[in-house]
Amino acid sequence: MNKRGHVLNGLLLALGLGFVIEPGLGMATARTVAEITVPIVLGALFPDVDTAFGRHRKTLHSLPVLGLFLAYPIVFGNLQYVWIGVLTHYVLDVVGSRRGIALFHPLSDTEYGMPTGVTTSSKYADLVTVVVTAVELAVFWAIHTYVVTLDLDVSAVASEAAAGIGI
């Protein structure tokens, strides 16, 4: 997908996740949406920084990079929702576009994708983005409802983890 698609994906995800995390139409929901929008959109845009350096869809489109964003809030207690933007960027590039991404870079430059995508210049790119985003929201809702709450106080978890390893 192109930058427009990733911004659209990030904004729709933030809005939808705001309602997943804090259901309702009140100020608590509005605050949650406001709190998670910037980190998710920034995360959704971050992998494409590799268009300026490195090799696009390889350098910053890999599982090691996602691992760093997953570990960051545990170690440092901030950027809790950026990993969601990065992860959903990958999903959109794998499922929504034809090319795929190099998930195991730098170990392998093989690009993984699915035959479900369209080219980034396709007139259907926005529709595919919205459909993929809806599926992502359904998955996040199921995880939040049945597995683990997505509104964890990661700073408290990070403090405990840091104390446990002597930081």
Side-chain angles (χ1 to χ4, degrees), residues 127-147:
L127 176 62
V128 169
T129 298
V130 171
V131 169
V132 170
T133 303
V135 172
E136 289 170 338
L137 280 170
V139 169
F140 280 122
W141 172 83
I143 290 169
H144 179 75
T145 303
Y146 299 111
V147 181

Side-chain angles (χ1 to χ4, degrees), residues 22 32 36 38 57 73 81 90 96 98 116 118 122-123 135 155:
E22 187 64 52
T32 299
I36 67 177
V38 170
R57 293 207 179 180
Y81 294 97
Y90 292 1
R98 294 218 174 167
T116 55
V118 297
S122 169
K123 65 181 181 179
V135 172
S155 58

Side-chain angles (χ1 to χ4, degrees), residues 69-125:
F69 280 98
L70 283 167
Y72 202 93
I74 295 168
V75 174
F76 297 106
N78 61 7
L79 298 179
Q80 287 85 336
Y81 294 97
V82 174
W83 69 270
I84 291 173
V86 174
L87 174 65
T88 57
H89 180 114
Y90 292 1
V91 170
L92 196 56
D93 280 355
V94 168
V95 178
S97 74
R98 294 218 174 167
R99 182 173 165 195
I101 61 174
L103 285 171
F104 301 103
H105 184 78
L107 302 174
S108 170
D109 284 344
T110 302
E111 291 183 356
Y112 297 90
M114 297 180 75
T116 55
V118 297
T119 61
T120 57
S121 61
S122 169
K123 65 181 181 179
Y124 300 110

Side-chain angles (χ1 to χ4, degrees), residues 22-69:
E22 187 64 52
L25 295 175
M27 286 306 296
T29 304
R31 179 178 169 79
T32 299
V33 170
E35 181 180 3
I36 67 177
T37 296
V38 170
I40 289 175
V41 172
L42 288 175
L45 289 172
F46 177 79
D48 282 343
V49 169
D50 67 7
T51 59
F53 73 92
R55 295 166 49 203
H56 184 55
R57 293 207 179 180
K58 290 184 179 24
T59 306
L60 296 176
H61 286 72
S62 65
L63 294 176
V65 172
L66 179 60
L68 288 172
F69 280 98

